[in-house]
Amino acid sequence: MKKNCIVIGSGFSSLSAACYLAKDGWDVSIFEKNESVGGRASQFIKDGFTFDMGPSWYWMPDIFDKFFADFNKQTSDYYQLDKLSPAYKIFFSDDVITIGDSMDKICEEFERIEPGSSKALKKFIDKAQENYDIAINKVVLRPGLSPLELVTKETILKVDQFFKTISSQVRKSFKNPKLISTLEFPVLFLGAKPSKTPSFYNFMNFADFGLGTWHPKGGMYEVIKAMESLAKELGVTIHTNSPIEHILVDNGKATGVSCNGKIHTSDVVLSGADYQHSESLLEEKHQQYSKGYWDKKVFAPSSLLFYIGFDTKLINVEHHNLFFDTDFELHAQEIYDDPKWPTNPLFYANFPSITDESMAPKGCETAFFLVPIATALEDTEALRNQYFDIIIDRFEKRTDQDIRNNIIFKETFCVNDFVERYNSYKGNAYGMANTLTQTAFLRPNLRSKKVVDLYFTGQLTVPGPGVPPALISGKLVSELIIKDN
């Protein structure tokens, strides 16, 4: 008789786990609180404009390839993938750096900024590639059950890199502040300050410069749709508009869930929802982690997001744009060290319709602006509008264009929405930061220590924040469930 598993949530990690379990012969049902699948990788469509509400960077294409290959599929079976050229632009107060689609182009740009720096860059990226191979093929494929998982012949030789930081490593090789910011930027995907992130994680620089930045035609939600299609092909049942009220436990074993007033039984319960929220669905005696535990953890930032439809095409920008024309260190401090609304925020601007005409009406532009902010901040309409004015003033100045009168509509999303829509702890956008004390076995466990047959997946557990790690998290937990059963 088939074993069955209920999966809570339908983000990347949940869909990944559901697919692997179904492939192994399990009867899998997904329960999603919102009206459509995707979790934080939702999609918003209005007046012909298409927005990815969450993740918008497609990095580490090899991880996506490996996921689909595990089911004898290819990404091209589901969506068209294009490499962006250039990958992105970084706007500083007195210059703009363009990151090309090859190492040769990137080296040329580094030379323009700091003569002689391309030699140091090649050496830096070579080391980052070594770390990438170890991380992706060794470290992140472990379920985080024991510190011994980190001990391999490869990691032993790199052990010093777990006690040095990205920031110190970058500054050792580069002196120009613009190049330093450029090389420290990818670590922000891991949710922590470069000065708090182990230098081993420079493998993100190889993901950036070595593997490039890609775009699925139609947006990142096409990947979610692909995984949803695959899950259904494998026999997974998906229920939307189905918030879970309780995880049911009998004699210390998970036995199912209650949803919309009905009981649904199962052999195993797996939650891909926010970890802290997932545990709140249990009686306190069955929770592994206290309120004090979560309060002490370093969370990745929240975000203030703007989804805007413009009735004109924009100039002097690319698909991805970073605005580092203010104090990088100050903004980081105001996220992690002294949480407050930022004095002068860095921000990110994404215009997918520049390279993908399907994402906006003809002659128009789809725009997504993101300001990283601390979690648990006061979130009001007035503050959202205040920061919109701040970033649009700077955007117009840096890109030499007036755009306010071309706005058809503007929608916002911030701390309160992360809590309400995704049950996100303190309104975090990216989960728990990958600091040294929050890496691998030091993160919340994939398997409950208190309830048999209860498991967790997603960016608050192993391996950590980001879309590729979420795919891997789903695979890891599915392997653990299969092994235990």
Side-chain angles (χ1 to χ4, degrees):
M1 186 174 169
K2 270 189 176 185
K3 289 231 169 192
N4 59 67
C5 178
I6 284 174
V7 180
I8 303 172
S10 64
F12 281 107
S13 58
S14 291
L15 288 169
S16 170
C19 288
Y20 283 111
L21 288 170
K23 180 189 174 189
D24 192 63
W26 286 64
D27 185 355
V28 183
S29 298
I30 291 175
F31 287 78
E32 165 58 46
K33 132 186 214 296
N34 293 315
E35 69 287 348
S36 58
V37 300
R40 299 182 197 213
S42 300
Q43 186 182 60
F44 168 53
I45 297 175
K46 182 173 180 176
D47 299 342
F49 294 85
T50 301
F51 301 86
D52 286 313
M53 293 184 70
S56 60
W57 293 75
Y58 193 106
W59 273 9
M60 305 185 187
D62 52 323
I63 304 297
F64 296 87
D65 292 342
K66 286 176 183 175
F67 171 79
F68 286 103
D70 282 343
F71 303 91
N72 297 314
K73 302 284 187 179
Q74 302 177 58
T75 55
S76 59
D77 293 333
Y78 297 99
Y79 54 88
Q80 177 186 321
L81 198 59
D82 300 307
K83 191 173 188 181
L84 296 182
S85 178
Y88 55 93
K89 273 187 175 180
I90 306 178
F91 290 79
F92 294 94
S93 57
D94 59 350
D95 201 358
V96 179
I97 289 182
T98 300
I99 302 300
D101 62 347
S102 69
M103 272 302 297
D104 287 344
K105 291 177 184 176
I106 297 166
C107 284
E108 274 182 40
E109 189 71 336
F110 268 56
E111 283 291 325
R112 179 182 71 81
I113 301 293
E114 184 180 312
S117 62
S118 63
K119 187 176 179 182
L121 178 63
K122 287 175 183 174
K123 190 180 293 186
F124 182 84
I125 296 299
D126 283 347
K127 288 182 179 177
Q129 183 171 5
E130 285 178 21
N131 287 353
Y132 187 87
D133 291 337
I134 294 168
I136 299 308
N137 297 314
K138 296 281 194 313
V139 177
V140 302
L141 297 179
R142 310 291 172 89
L145 301 178
S146 160
L148 295 178
E149 292 174 3
L150 293 177
V151 182
T152 68
K153 61 184 181 183
E154 294 89 357
T155 56
I156 286 171
L157 297 174
K158 303 275 187 179
V159 70
D160 63 314
Q161 293 188 33
F162 286 94
F163 298 96
K164 295 175 183 174
T165 67
I166 287 281
S167 193
S168 64
Q169 186 186 36
V170 168
R171 283 166 167 75
K172 186 177 174 184
S173 302
F174 302 91
K175 303 304 175 196
N176 185 283
K178 297 187 187 75
L179 298 187
I180 289 170
S181 292
T182 300
L183 289 168
E184 288 183 346
F185 146 68
V187 181
L188 299 179
F189 283 108
L190 300 173
K193 291 169 67 174
S195 60
K196 297 286 186 183
T197 303
S199 63
F200 180 76
Y201 284 105
N202 76 344
F203 66 74
M204 292 296 291
N205 292 105
F206 175 71
D208 180 2
F209 290 0
L211 298 177
T213 302
W214 300 74
H215 172 72
K217 184 175 172 59
M220 285 292 286
Y221 196 71
E222 292 301 310
V223 186
I224 289 290
K225 285 162 65 175
M227 294 178 73
E228 179 186 20
S229 294
L230 175 61
K232 288 179 176 177
E233 288 170 41
L234 292 164
V236 175
T237 303
I238 300 176
H239 306 274
T240 53
N241 296 307
S242 299
I244 300 303
E245 292 139 6
H246 301 286
I247 296 173
L248 307 177
V249 178
D250 185 24
N251 289 323
K253 181 193 179 311
T255 58
V257 298
S258 63
C259 171
N260 293 328
K262 294 182 180 177
I263 300 297
H264 301 266
T265 60
S266 65
D267 298 305
V268 168
V269 175
L270 165 63
S271 183
D274 182 277
Y275 204 122
Q276 184 275 336
H277 169 72
S278 301
E279 287 223 310
S280 77
L281 301 173
L282 296 160
E283 290 181 52
E284 191 171 337
K285 65 182 180 181
H286 294 136
Q287 296 173 13
Q288 305 168 88
Y289 305 109
S290 66
K291 182 178 184 301
Y293 171 89
W294 294 113
D295 283 343
K296 288 175 186 173
K297 292 300 169 184
V298 178
F299 275 80
S302 186
S303 297
L304 169 57
L305 301 162
F306 299 100
Y307 309 107
I308 302 169
F310 287 104
D311 66 5
T312 187
K313 300 300 288 183
L314 303 186
I315 60 170
N316 301 328
V317 288
E318 298 295 341
H319 185 122
H320 296 293
N321 308 269
L322 301 165
F323 287 79
F324 287 2
D325 51 329
T326 58
D327 190 332
F328 189 106
E329 287 298 321
L330 176 61
H331 191 162
Q333 286 172 20
E334 291 172 341
I335 290 175
Y336 296 104
D337 305 330
D338 180 22
K340 64 175 70 169
W341 279 91
T343 306
N344 212 355
L346 285 71
F347 65 95
Y348 158 62
N350 172 27
F351 308 104
S353 48
I354 286 177
T355 52
D356 184 351
E357 292 179 355
S358 72
M359 297 192 73
K362 188 173 178 60
C364 298
E365 210 81 273
T366 290
F368 167 112
F369 289 86
L370 181 153
V371 180
I373 58 173
T375 56
L377 291 183
E378 177 190 18
D379 174 15
T380 66
E381 198 65 31
L383 280 164
R384 296 185 188 199
N385 291 332
Q386 176 187 335
Y387 277 82
F388 179 71
D389 288 338
I390 289 170
I391 66 169
I392 290 301
D393 285 346
R394 283 194 9 234
F395 179 84
E396 290 184 327
K397 182 180 177 183
R398 297 284 169 252
T399 64
D400 195 26
Q401 60 189 318
D402 297 323
I403 59 169
R404 285 177 186 272
N405 293 333
N406 297 106
I407 295 174
I408 302 172
F409 64 83
K410 176 189 76 176
E411 301 287 346
T412 66
F413 199 94
C414 198
V415 174
N416 293 348
D417 301 298
F418 279 102
V419 173
E420 189 279 325
R421 185 168 174 83
Y422 307 130
N423 293 313
S424 164
Y425 183 67
K426 294 185 176 180
N428 79 80
Y430 309 103
M432 191 183 289
N434 256 345
T435 60
L436 178 60
T437 56
Q438 295 181 174
T439 293
F441 67 97
L442 296 172
R443 297 180 72 79
N445 290 349
L446 291 169
R447 182 203 286 133
S448 173
K449 299 173 188 173
K450 290 195 172 184
V451 179
V452 177
D453 291 327
L454 174 60
Y455 299 82
F456 304 88
T457 188
Q459 54 192 2
L460 269 73
T461 182
V462 180
V467 175
L471 294 178
I472 293 168
S473 184
K475 182 175 186 178
L476 291 175
V477 78
S478 67
E479 290 172 345
L480 200 56
I481 291 170
I482 292 164
K483 181 182 174 186
D484 288 349
N485 288 269

mmCIF file of all heavy atoms in Angstrom, residues 21 78-79 108 121 136 174 216 255 266 397 402 407 429:
data_model
loop_
_atom_site.group_PDB
_atom_site.id
_atom_site.type_symbol
_atom_site.label_atom_id
_atom_site.label_comp_id
_atom_site.label_asym_id
_atom_site.label_seq_id
_atom_site.Cartn_x
_atom_site.Cartn_y
_atom_site.Cartn_z
ATOM 1 N N LEU A 21 9.169 12.745 -3.827
ATOM 2 C CA LEU A 21 8.395 11.735 -3.108
ATOM 3 C C LEU A 21 7.447 10.994 -4.051
ATOM 4 O O LEU A 21 7.314 9.770 -3.986
ATOM 5 C CB LEU A 21 7.609 12.387 -1.969
ATOM 6 C CG LEU A 21 8.434 12.859 -0.768
ATOM 7 C CD1 LEU A 21 7.576 13.714 0.167
ATOM 8 C CD2 LEU A 21 9.013 11.665 -0.004
ATOM 9 N N TYR A 78 9.933 22.806 -20.552
ATOM 10 C CA TYR A 78 8.919 23.617 -19.882
ATOM 11 C C TYR A 78 9.032 25.115 -20.145
ATOM 12 O O TYR A 78 8.031 25.812 -20.165
ATOM 13 C CB TYR A 78 8.999 23.380 -18.365
ATOM 14 C CG TYR A 78 8.689 21.968 -17.958
ATOM 15 C CD1 TYR A 78 9.709 21.061 -17.685
ATOM 16 C CD2 TYR A 78 7.369 21.533 -17.847
ATOM 17 C CE1 TYR A 78 9.429 19.764 -17.296
ATOM 18 C CE2 TYR A 78 7.077 20.228 -17.452
ATOM 19 C CZ TYR A 78 8.118 19.348 -17.186
ATOM 20 O OH TYR A 78 7.826 18.067 -16.805
ATOM 21 N N TYR A 79 10.248 25.616 -20.284
ATOM 22 C CA TYR A 79 10.395 27.058 -20.488
ATOM 23 C C TYR A 79 11.661 27.386 -21.280
ATOM 24 O O TYR A 79 12.609 26.604 -21.319
ATOM 25 C CB TYR A 79 10.390 27.820 -19.155
ATOM 26 C CG TYR A 79 11.397 27.366 -18.118
ATOM 27 C CD1 TYR A 79 12.694 27.888 -18.089
ATOM 28 C CD2 TYR A 79 11.034 26.435 -17.136
ATOM 29 C CE1 TYR A 79 13.605 27.470 -17.119
ATOM 30 C CE2 TYR A 79 11.945 26.025 -16.168
ATOM 31 C CZ TYR A 79 13.228 26.549 -16.161
ATOM 32 O OH TYR A 79 14.128 26.143 -15.197
ATOM 33 N N GLU A 108 37.555 43.331 -18.560
ATOM 34 C CA GLU A 108 37.734 44.646 -19.214
ATOM 35 C C GLU A 108 37.156 45.758 -18.353
ATOM 36 O O GLU A 108 37.761 46.827 -18.207
ATOM 37 C CB GLU A 108 37.010 44.659 -20.582
ATOM 38 C CG GLU A 108 37.813 44.119 -21.725
ATOM 39 C CD GLU A 108 37.030 44.221 -23.032
ATOM 40 O OE1 GLU A 108 36.345 45.251 -23.257
ATOM 41 O OE2 GLU A 108 37.084 43.251 -23.818
ATOM 42 N N LEU A 121 41.216 39.456 -10.205
ATOM 43 C CA LEU A 121 39.854 38.952 -10.374
ATOM 44 C C LEU A 121 39.858 37.506 -10.863
ATOM 45 O O LEU A 121 39.107 36.671 -10.345
ATOM 46 C CB LEU A 121 39.073 39.840 -11.360
ATOM 47 C CG LEU A 121 37.644 39.368 -11.658
ATOM 48 C CD1 LEU A 121 36.793 39.404 -10.397
ATOM 49 C CD2 LEU A 121 37.005 40.213 -12.758
ATOM 50 N N ILE A 136 28.453 22.783 -4.049
ATOM 51 C CA ILE A 136 27.299 22.239 -4.757
ATOM 52 C C ILE A 136 27.337 20.720 -4.857
ATOM 53 O O ILE A 136 26.298 20.053 -4.824
ATOM 54 C CB ILE A 136 27.182 22.876 -6.162
ATOM 55 C CG1 ILE A 136 27.000 24.392 -6.036
ATOM 56 C CG2 ILE A 136 26.043 22.266 -6.951
ATOM 57 C CD1 ILE A 136 25.873 24.827 -5.116
ATOM 58 N N PHE A 174 41.384 43.638 -3.532
ATOM 59 C CA PHE A 174 40.895 44.804 -4.279
ATOM 60 C C PHE A 174 40.823 46.027 -3.377
ATOM 61 O O PHE A 174 40.449 45.915 -2.207
ATOM 62 C CB PHE A 174 39.513 44.502 -4.876
ATOM 63 C CG PHE A 174 39.505 43.307 -5.783
ATOM 64 C CD1 PHE A 174 39.235 42.041 -5.278
ATOM 65 C CD2 PHE A 174 39.796 43.428 -7.135
ATOM 66 C CE1 PHE A 174 39.252 40.921 -6.081
ATOM 67 C CE2 PHE A 174 39.807 42.316 -7.967
ATOM 68 C CZ PHE A 174 39.538 41.056 -7.438
ATOM 69 N N PRO A 216 14.108 33.195 -17.551
ATOM 70 C CA PRO A 216 13.113 32.328 -18.178
ATOM 71 C C PRO A 216 12.053 33.211 -18.854
ATOM 72 O O PRO A 216 11.490 34.089 -18.203
ATOM 73 C CB PRO A 216 12.503 31.563 -17.004
ATOM 74 C CG PRO A 216 13.190 32.053 -15.762
ATOM 75 C CD PRO A 216 13.923 33.299 -16.103
ATOM 76 N N THR A 255 0.093 12.821 12.364
ATOM 77 C CA THR A 255 -0.924 11.965 11.735
ATOM 78 C C THR A 255 -1.733 12.680 10.655
ATOM 79 O O THR A 255 -2.597 12.077 10.034
ATOM 80 C CB THR A 255 -1.899 11.441 12.808
ATOM 81 O OG1 THR A 255 -2.505 12.560 13.491
ATOM 82 C CG2 THR A 255 -1.184 10.552 13.817
ATOM 83 N N SER A 266 -2.485 11.445 7.232
ATOM 84 C CA SER A 266 -1.346 11.051 6.394
ATOM 85 C C SER A 266 -0.319 10.309 7.238
ATOM 86 O O SER A 266 -0.328 10.396 8.470
ATOM 87 C CB SER A 266 -0.697 12.282 5.751
ATOM 88 O OG SER A 266 -0.141 13.117 6.745
ATOM 89 N N LYS A 397 17.464 60.791 -11.369
ATOM 90 C CA LYS A 397 18.737 61.519 -11.447
ATOM 91 C C LYS A 397 19.837 60.658 -12.053
ATOM 92 O O LYS A 397 20.571 61.098 -12.946
ATOM 93 C CB LYS A 397 19.136 61.983 -10.047
ATOM 94 C CG LYS A 397 20.425 62.802 -10.009
ATOM 95 C CD LYS A 397 20.742 63.225 -8.583
ATOM 96 C CE LYS A 397 22.074 63.994 -8.516
ATOM 97 N NZ LYS A 397 22.426 64.337 -7.111
ATOM 98 N N ASP A 402 12.792 61.482 -16.726
ATOM 99 C CA ASP A 402 11.647 61.776 -15.867
ATOM 100 C C ASP A 402 10.574 60.717 -16.129
ATOM 101 O O ASP A 402 10.128 60.566 -17.268
ATOM 102 C CB ASP A 402 11.083 63.168 -16.178
ATOM 103 C CG ASP A 402 12.096 64.268 -15.885
ATOM 104 O OD1 ASP A 402 12.836 64.126 -14.891
ATOM 105 O OD2 ASP A 402 12.160 65.246 -16.650
ATOM 106 N N ILE A 407 3.669 56.728 -14.928
ATOM 107 C CA ILE A 407 3.198 55.618 -14.093
ATOM 108 C C ILE A 407 1.698 55.398 -14.319
ATOM 109 O O ILE A 407 0.887 56.307 -14.112
ATOM 110 C CB ILE A 407 3.470 55.895 -12.597
ATOM 111 C CG1 ILE A 407 4.983 55.950 -12.336
ATOM 112 C CG2 ILE A 407 2.815 54.828 -11.723
ATOM 113 C CD1 ILE A 407 5.350 56.371 -10.921
ATOM 114 N N ALA A 429 12.004 38.320 4.274
ATOM 115 C CA ALA A 429 11.770 38.029 2.858
ATOM 116 C C ALA A 429 12.548 36.821 2.379
ATOM 117 O O ALA A 429 12.149 36.146 1.435
ATOM 118 C CB ALA A 429 12.135 39.247 2.005
#
